Amino acid sequence: MKLVSVVIAVVLWFGVVIINNPKDSRVFANIPVTLVNTELLDKEGKVYEVMDDTDIVRVTVEVPKDSVNLLRSSDIVAEADVSMLTAVNTVAITCKVLNEDINVMNISCDHDVVRLNVENKVTKWFPVKYYTTGEVAEGYMVADINLETTTLKVSGPQSVVDQISYAGGEIDVTGATSNQSINAKPQFYDVERNVLDSSRVTIENSLPIRVDAIILATKEVPVRGSYMGTPAPGYQVTGGVERNPSTLLICGTPSVLADVSEIVIDSKELDITDATSNVVSIVDVKKYLPEDVSLADEGFDGRINVTVRIEAEREKTLYIPASSIAVLNMPSDIQWQIAGEQNTYELKIAGLNLAVAAVDASRVSGTVDVGAWMQSQGMTSLPPGTYEIPVEFALPRNVNQSEKVFMNITILEMEEEEE
């Protein structure tokens, strides 16, 4: 009877308490879960990522009704001890109320573990690359991009770091006529130049990088060339020096380019002495560029082909009528006549095939310059007699006279006048 009386008394006491101060609950959303002992993962060369926001919980606290209004979200603490990490990478969550004046009857979370993605931590060096966007002004080009830093040391989860191809970004050069500069924090890109999420990686000395886009003016100029020496006897040069390419696109500051009108190749690059066939040479034109001038095409190595075409001469014999030869500068005080009865003169010519083939005997004229011949012979008068004087013929370019042609002129004796 005594024991039953005690039980009844206790039940009655709890009933009185509940009636006078009943239980109540309060829910606190978005309570962050503090991960403790995370340095243990770092010591093991590991990094972690919280999965699916499981480090945010909703906490329900049951307290006597008269204590509900005393609860504050700042009183709620949720922790997960990483030293208790399970094989499936979960950590149990514990919740508590810091305010010791509150009688907590029960506390619970909407989920009881933080799920982690744990990976090996790796460190690698990556190149820094910046590309230009937009088009510079007409007549200008991006000559180079100068970087304050060319490599970066990056650490992070292996799955993230292994995707990185390079670090860098872009610099806008739209309409630029002078150098462009930016200070930028680099992004990370994969091999297809897609931007990667860099939130899980760290950069050693991750300061902004200075990037300078060097903008230069461009100009197209011709390449000039010449040759030295002469071909073997019986051969001729068919034309000038052929260049491939014949023009160059160069770059530099506008003031420097203003003084450049052509690129001239030294004749020593092309020696045709005693040549009997085409002479070809590969010339590096970079050595002929003026100071502070460079080639604008990065894909062009500066080597051009220069060619002198050599062709064997063709011979041809022409028969020139005497009427096509004029006698010039004959002294006026003498009588003369062409010796003999030669009506035609045999003229042998040689030269390039096309040029020789085009020569028509009916269009070739010659001259006998008596005065010039007398001067070359040191003569001041022409005594009676027969003289062999050379005939000069007017021939097209690239056609030469193979043999000399002479006209025999007889100077007659002057008859004395009768008194």
Side-chain angles (χ1 to χ4, degrees):
M1 292 296 291
K2 290 180 180 181
L3 182 58
V4 172
S5 299
V6 171
V7 171
I8 293 172
V10 170
V11 171
L12 290 173
W13 182 81
F14 270 105
V16 171
V17 170
I18 291 172
I19 292 171
N20 291 332
N21 190 15
K23 180 175 66 173
D24 201 355
S25 65
R26 187 170 180 183
V27 178
F28 296 90
N30 299 321
I31 300 298
V33 179
T34 302
L35 297 177
V36 297
N37 293 319
T38 55
E39 68 276 5
L40 297 177
L41 292 176
D42 189 56
K43 289 179 181 179
E44 294 178 5
K46 306 283 188 180
V47 290
Y48 68 89
E49 177 187 16
V50 176
M51 304 295 293
D52 302 324
D53 296 326
T54 53
D55 60 343
I56 303 295
V57 294
R58 188 173 74 248
V59 179
T60 302
V61 183
E62 293 182 355
V63 295
K65 189 171 185 178
D66 61 359
S67 300
V68 167
N69 293 331
L70 299 178
L71 281 173
R72 301 287 184 271
S73 61
S74 58
D75 295 328
I76 311 302
V77 173
E79 290 184 347
D81 190 346
V82 175
S83 66
M84 305 300 291
L85 182 68
T86 69
V88 292
N89 293 330
T90 60
V91 185
I93 300 173
T94 59
C95 298
K96 62 182 178 180
V97 176
L98 295 179
N99 191 338
E100 296 179 354
D101 295 332
I102 299 177
N103 179 26
V104 178
M105 302 174 71
N106 188 38
I107 184 168
S108 62
C109 302
D110 62 335
H111 57 271
D112 55 3
V113 295
V114 175
R115 292 191 297 111
L116 301 180
N117 177 31
V118 180
E119 295 185 59
N120 291 328
K121 180 181 180 180
V122 295
T123 300
K124 291 184 180 181
W125 287 89
F126 291 99
V128 178
K129 302 177 184 179
Y130 271 81
Y131 297 91
T132 59
T133 60
E135 296 291 334
V136 296
E138 186 176 356
Y140 289 81
M141 64 169 287
V142 179
D144 199 4
I145 296 180
N146 293 336
L147 301 173
E148 184 180 38
T149 301
T150 57
T151 57
L152 288 179
K153 186 177 182 181
V154 179
S155 299
Q158 185 171 1
S159 63
V160 176
V161 175
D162 284 350
Q163 295 183 61
I164 299 174
S165 174
Y166 68 95
E170 298 176 337
I171 178 171
D172 188 4
V173 296
T174 301
T177 59
S178 60
N179 297 346
Q180 304 294 299
S181 300
I182 60 171
N183 288 309
K185 185 176 181 180
Q187 294 180 301
F188 293 98
Y189 296 82
D190 62 16
V191 292
E192 296 180 352
R193 291 180 67 175
N194 297 313
V195 179
L196 300 173
D197 180 9
S198 60
S199 60
R200 297 184 62 199
V201 299
T202 57
I203 307 172
E204 188 177 272
N205 298 326
S206 58
L207 297 175
I209 296 175
R210 180 179 175 84
V211 183
D212 297 312
I214 308 303
I215 310 298
L216 295 176
T218 61
K219 185 177 184 180
E220 188 170 17
V221 295
V223 180
R224 307 293 185 198
S226 59
Y227 55 84
M228 60 184 296
T230 55
Y235 291 83
Q236 283 192 34
V237 175
T238 64
V241 177
E242 298 177 6
R243 296 91 58 213
N244 184 24
S246 60
T247 63
L248 294 176
L249 188 64
I250 58 176
C251 62
T253 62
S255 59
V256 170
L257 294 187
D259 296 329
V260 182
S261 59
E262 62 183 5
I263 305 299
V264 180
I265 299 174
D266 197 301
S267 61
K268 66 182 180 182
E269 301 277 7
L270 210 57
D271 187 353
I272 65 169
T273 300
D274 294 329
T276 58
S277 61
N278 296 344
V279 178
V280 181
S281 180
I282 298 176
V283 179
D284 186 356
V285 294
K286 292 196 294 293
K287 62 185 176 183
Y288 294 107
L289 297 178
E291 188 177 359
D292 297 326
V293 173
S294 56
L295 297 174
D297 184 357
E298 293 182 356
F300 176 46
D301 64 1
R303 297 180 181 276
I304 69 171
N305 293 327
V306 288
T307 304
V308 176
R309 299 196 179 278
I310 308 295
E311 184 179 300
E313 292 180 343
R314 172 191 170 186
E315 292 189 344
K316 183 178 181 181
T317 300
L318 303 176
Y319 296 93
I320 310 301
S323 59
S324 296
I325 301 174
V327 178
L328 306 176
N329 299 318
M330 178 69 77
S332 59
D333 58 347
I334 61 175
Q335 294 181 357
W336 62 277
Q337 65 182 21
I338 298 175
E341 297 181 354
Q342 188 172 356
N343 296 321
T344 60
Y345 290 83
E346 187 177 284
L347 171 62
K348 292 183 178 181
I349 60 174
L352 299 178
N353 183 53
L354 292 177
V356 169
V359 178
D360 184 350
S362 65
R363 297 178 179 274
V364 176
S365 61
T367 57
V368 177
D369 192 335
V370 177
W373 176 80
M374 290 176 61
Q375 186 175 5
S376 68
Q377 300 298 312
M379 301 173 64
T380 58
S381 63
L382 284 176
T386 300
Y387 299 93
E388 191 179 61
I389 303 176
V391 183
E392 297 294 334
F393 292 93
L395 296 173
R397 184 183 176 187
N398 296 326
V399 176
N400 301 315
Q401 186 175 323
S402 299
E403 298 178 359
K404 289 186 176 182
V405 177
F406 296 91
M407 175 179 281
N408 292 322
I409 295 179
T410 300
I411 306 300
L412 304 175
E413 291 187 12
M414 298 289 291
E415 295 183 0
E416 294 182 3
E417 296 181 359
E418 294 182 359
E419 295 183 358

